Amino acid sequence: LFHGHSAGIIVFALVILAAGVHLGFIDRTTVTFRAFGLLKKTVGIGAVSLAAYMVVTLVMLGPGVTWQPYSEETVEQATEMGKPVIIDFYADWCAPCRDLDRITFHDPEVVEAAKSFSMLKLDLTRKGDPLHEVLLNRYAVRGVPTVVFLGPDGKEVVSLRVLSFEKPE
């Protein structure tokens, strides 16, 4: 049901939920500080609420675009089949990248349109990968986010390049 980033959010929400339930409702530790019990229960309820909010927000987003990790083989296969390609150069620390993922690439119309493309992500969160350097030079990527569109012939359609957050429209 959930993949990649969504699975991470679900796991994190479960950890927060478990901590909140334990702290607010199960743990019976007492101390002489009277407000400690109230503080524990408040923090526990807050953690349970945060976990619920995270899961509800994720579910309300609906399914997002299905991405594959970038590979030269996938680009070659798409070109041989005459299928256009979208390459998303992103990094986890990039706020506009996260907004593209969370908003634009979860929009139902964008998700439907993406089915006509080979959707590839290139994670630039960590530096040092020689392939990344080659691709950054090949596509003249200066920063993230950068979304590159390749036509069915494998050549970039430069007019479609995205260099910042774009609304789904």
Side-chain angles (χ1 to χ4, degrees):
L1 179 63
F2 296 104
H3 296 71
H5 184 69
S6 298
I9 291 173
I10 295 292
V11 169
F12 188 56
L14 287 173
V15 169
I16 291 173
L17 177 66
V21 168
H22 177 75
L23 190 61
F25 305 100
I26 297 174
D27 184 42
R28 298 291 174 221
T29 304
T30 57
V31 294
T32 55
F33 178 53
R34 287 186 178 172
F36 183 71
L38 179 60
L39 180 64
K40 270 189 354 177
K41 185 149 307 264
T42 302
V43 170
I45 291 170
V48 169
S49 299
L50 176 61
Y53 172 78
M54 290 171 67
V55 171
V56 166
T57 301
L58 185 64
V59 169
M60 284 176 36
L61 282 176
V65 168
T66 302
W67 295 98
Q68 298 175 14
Y70 178 90
S71 76
E72 294 285 339
E73 295 79 26
T74 306
V75 174
E76 289 171 12
Q77 288 173 352
T79 303
E80 288 171 8
M81 294 178 357
K83 188 173 187 179
V85 176
I86 295 178
I87 306 171
D88 181 18
F89 292 84
Y90 83 103
D92 289 342
W93 45 260
C94 165
C97 299
R98 290 192 310 266
D99 288 342
L100 275 171
D101 253 355
R102 186 174 49 83
I103 298 167
T104 305
F105 293 132
H106 271 86
D107 181 81
E109 289 181 34
V110 173
V111 171
E112 187 60 34
K115 293 177 181 175
S116 303
F117 293 82
S118 287
M119 303 295 290
L120 308 178
K121 264 196 187 283
L122 188 67
D123 185 356
L124 301 174
T125 303
R126 292 180 187 83
K127 293 186 177 188
D129 188 322
L131 173 62
H132 293 178
E133 295 303 318
V134 168
L135 294 171
L136 291 172
N137 288 327
R138 179 184 302 163
Y139 295 108
V141 173
R142 302 287 174 240
V144 289
T146 298
V147 181
V148 173
F149 292 77
L150 305 180
D153 59 358
K155 296 189 183 345
E156 181 180 0
V157 181
V158 179
S159 63
L160 295 178
R161 183 178 278 223
V162 174
L163 300 173
S164 62
F165 172 74
E166 288 285 335
K167 292 181 180 176
E169 298 79 35

